[in-house]
Structure formats: structure tokens, C-alpha cells
Amino acid sequence: MTGLSRRAFALGTAATLLGTTQITISSAQALPKIRVGSLTLPVFAPIIVNIMKAQKFDTKNGFEAEVQTYPSFSAYYAGLATGEIDTLIGGPTYFQKLRLEGVPLRIVATGATLADLVIISKDPAVKSLADLKGKQLAADMGSGQFQILSIYAKSKGIDLTKDMTLVNANFAVARAQLAAARVDAAMIIEPIATMMMKEDAGLKIIFNANDAWKEMAGVTGWELVYAMREDSIKKNANAPKQFVAALADVTKYLQTDPDGADKIAVETVKLPPGILKEAVHAKRWVFDAKPAWDPAEKKSIWDTFERAVAAGFHPKLPDDAIIYAP
């Protein structure tokens, strides 16, 4: 090949590549974007959206997920309240609070069941929540998970604030408190629970919120659901259904390929290998995204709102529009 021919070939190749790039960029730009809130912590929010991005479930369902990561829960929820992001996963009772405060949000999908909310103890005499009376429990008292625990405890005639000594601690600190034997038990979520039990075989689960909620309410309770801003939905009326479809793909992927999901969690949020897979197999890390407007899911979410009001966590129910309807 002559020098001219080489140059012509190189220019032609470059033009072809440039054309391909332009087509790719053009295609990506053609997709509407949904801004998704995430966290730097190894919890549901980043793991779900990382799987969605890695497996391209967003573009498959007609949008591009634009991920905004936050270092704390307060900043994370503030991102939704101020309109910095369009959607995120959070506690249903926390969304109830935000809606009552005027944040224009609508719940569009279910997400995580209560299966990952557990209480762990090393004391062989402690076998149930009732056995913690008179003992010390480390728990994040400002969390939606604590509200869920309080609602169930109340149904059993247990007042957490009076019947036991509560040590206010976020999940990481609660883990440390129990490891140091400064408390008798700790309220923990996954994947921390699985990591703790792998480190200390003497730790046992004495309470699982999923089982407790089903016993109390007769239905599946939701620890985390997805809410989307109303103004985002007005801009893109297809956004709720597209996003729920992508979440459904994540649900299926977690069920059919926990090894693949585990690898993504290792690479993105730096979970130790095998932790996510073990939590999934133990049925404690259960992600099950369904449309919030389905009658059964809407009833379940609304039941949680009613119980939060009855327990005194919120002054009243939100308006019906908090749950999105197509």
C-alpha cells in the first residue's frame, strides 16, 4: 500500500469511526434521561442502579439512567426534594413525610421487602424481640426501619422506648457496638448482617421484619420503594413505566444470575466477594420491583401509611396522589 493509499485508508477509517461514534452519541442523546439518586454506601440504592447500568436495562427500556451519587442519606433525600434528581429508592414512611411537607413526589414501584431488616444477638438467652426486655438494643432511631420495628413491637404490646434501653446508632455503629459487646443486640440491614455473621458464627438472627410484618399485617411489607417527582413525570409521561420495566429486569437478573449480580457489587460498591450472593440465597436480600399502582401493592403501601399514623410517627395520611397511577 502506497503512502497516499495508507493516508486515504486511515482517513477513511477515521471517518468511518467518527461516523459510528456520531451515530452512537446521537442514539444515546435521543433517549430521554432519568436522573437516579444513589449512595456511596454498599446498600440497595447503588447496587440496583449499578446492575441496571451494567446490564443496560435502562437503554433497553427506552431511557438513559443518569446516576447522581450522594455521601449521606440526608443529602440523598434532599436531592429528590430539591429536584436535583428525578427518582430514588427510600422508605415508604419517609416518602409519606416528604409528601406531607409538600414535596411533589409519587411512589411508582415497590423495591426491597422487609427481609433484610433483622435484629442480631449473641446472647443464647435472647431468642425473640420480647426477650430483649430489660436489655440494650443498638438501633438507628431516626430511620424508617426503626419505625417499622416500632410498629410491629407495638402490635405485640412492646414499647421499645420503655421496655428496653435503646442505643441510638446508625447501622455501621450498631455493628461495632454489638461486636464490642456493648449492647445485647443490634438492628441491622443487609449486606451488613451477612458480613457480621460470617465474621462471628455465634451471632444469630432473633427477629426478621419480613416474617414479623406478614404475621401482623397479612401482606408483604416494603422496606424500600421508588418515588419519582411529579414534574419529572410531566416532562416525560413514559418515565414511570420505563423505569419500572427496567427495575423488573433487575429483579429477574438478581433471581437468575446472583453470581453476576455479586460480581457487579464487588466491582462497583466494593462488597467482599460472595456477600450479596449469600444474602440473596438466604432470601434476606429480596428485591422485587412491581408497579406501585397494582391494587395489591398499593394496598400494602397504604397499609404501612395507616400504621405509621396510628403509631404516631406522622400526623395524618398523605393524599391519594402519592401513589402514581398511569
Side-chain angles (χ1 to χ4, degrees), residues 4-323:
L4 179 60
S5 297
R6 286 193 185 97
R7 285 196 295 276
F9 175 78
L11 288 170
T13 303
T16 301
L17 290 172
L18 180 59
T20 303
T21 304
Q22 287 173 331
I23 290 170
T24 302
I25 292 172
S26 177
S27 299
Q29 288 175 338
L31 293 177
K33 292 185 178 180
I34 296 179
R35 300 167 298 168
V36 186
S38 186
L39 289 156
T40 54
L41 312 170
V43 291
F44 268 99
I47 293 173
I48 296 303
V49 74
N50 289 340
I51 290 173
M52 183 188 292
K53 293 292 290 183
Q55 294 298 307
K56 303 185 187 307
F57 293 141
D58 54 345
T59 54
K60 172 195 168 189
N61 285 287
F63 70 95
E64 182 181 1
E66 189 174 82
V67 182
Q68 174 68 46
T69 303
Y70 297 94
S72 68
F73 284 104
S74 57
Y76 174 72
Y77 282 110
L80 182 69
T82 61
E84 191 170 270
I85 54 175
D86 300 313
T87 185
L88 54 70
I89 189 172
T93 59
Y94 201 80
F95 289 140
Q96 179 179 2
K97 173 179 180 291
L98 292 178
R99 179 82 184 186
L100 289 173
E101 293 174 348
V103 177
L105 62 83
R106 293 194 174 197
I107 294 173
V108 297
T110 59
T113 73
L114 290 163
D116 82 314
L117 175 58
V118 299
I119 294 179
I120 296 178
S121 177
K122 196 172 184 176
D123 184 347
V126 176
K127 298 178 180 176
S128 69
L129 185 63
D131 292 335
L132 284 174
K133 288 184 177 179
K135 296 182 180 294
Q136 291 184 317
L137 171 66
D140 185 345
M141 297 173 66
S143 66
Q145 287 86 354
F146 184 75
Q147 293 185 5
I148 293 293
L149 178 63
S150 299
I151 291 169
Y152 173 76
K154 187 176 181 180
S155 76
K156 294 296 180 182
I158 301 172
D159 186 331
L160 296 179
T161 61
K162 296 179 179 177
D163 293 332
M164 56 191 74
T165 301
L166 295 172
V167 178
N168 192 20
N170 63 35
F171 298 112
V173 175
R175 174 186 185 180
Q177 291 276 18
L178 185 59
R182 288 193 288 266
V183 295
D184 299 293
M187 184 185 81
I188 299 293
I189 57 173
E190 290 290 358
I192 298 174
T194 294
M195 288 192 285
M196 289 178 69
M197 290 187 291
K198 287 183 75 71
E199 291 169 359
D200 186 345
L203 294 174
K204 302 295 181 186
I205 293 173
I206 61 102
F207 171 86
N208 182 286
N210 194 54
D211 298 337
W213 197 268
K214 282 184 177 178
E215 172 200 334
M216 177 184 70
V219 295
T220 296
W222 298 100
E223 180 182 336
L224 301 171
V225 297
Y226 277 92
M228 187 174 286
R229 285 183 61 90
E230 286 180 331
D231 48 4
S232 303
I233 297 172
K234 287 179 181 176
K235 290 178 184 174
N236 177 10
N238 293 324
K241 286 188 175 180
Q242 289 174 326
F243 193 66
V244 172
L247 292 174
D249 283 338
V250 175
T251 297
K252 185 177 180 181
Y253 181 72
L254 275 160
Q255 294 169 348
T256 58
D257 192 358
D259 286 298
D262 191 272
K263 184 179 179 183
I264 293 171
V266 170
E267 293 174 348
T268 56
V269 299
K270 310 306 178 188
L271 264 186
I275 293 295
L276 178 62
K277 178 183 175 181
E278 185 166 331
V280 169
H281 281 168
K283 300 187 184 305
R284 291 192 300 271
W285 214 91
V286 181
F287 184 77
D288 190 9
K290 301 174 183 176
W293 58 89
D294 282 356
E297 314 317 327
K298 184 176 181 178
K299 181 180 178 182
S300 174
I301 296 169
W302 199 261
D303 177 67
T304 303
F305 295 155
E306 292 177 333
R307 292 178 187 278
V309 173
F313 287 113
H314 299 302
K316 62 180 182 180
L317 290 169
D319 60 292
D320 289 344
I322 189 174
I323 297 180

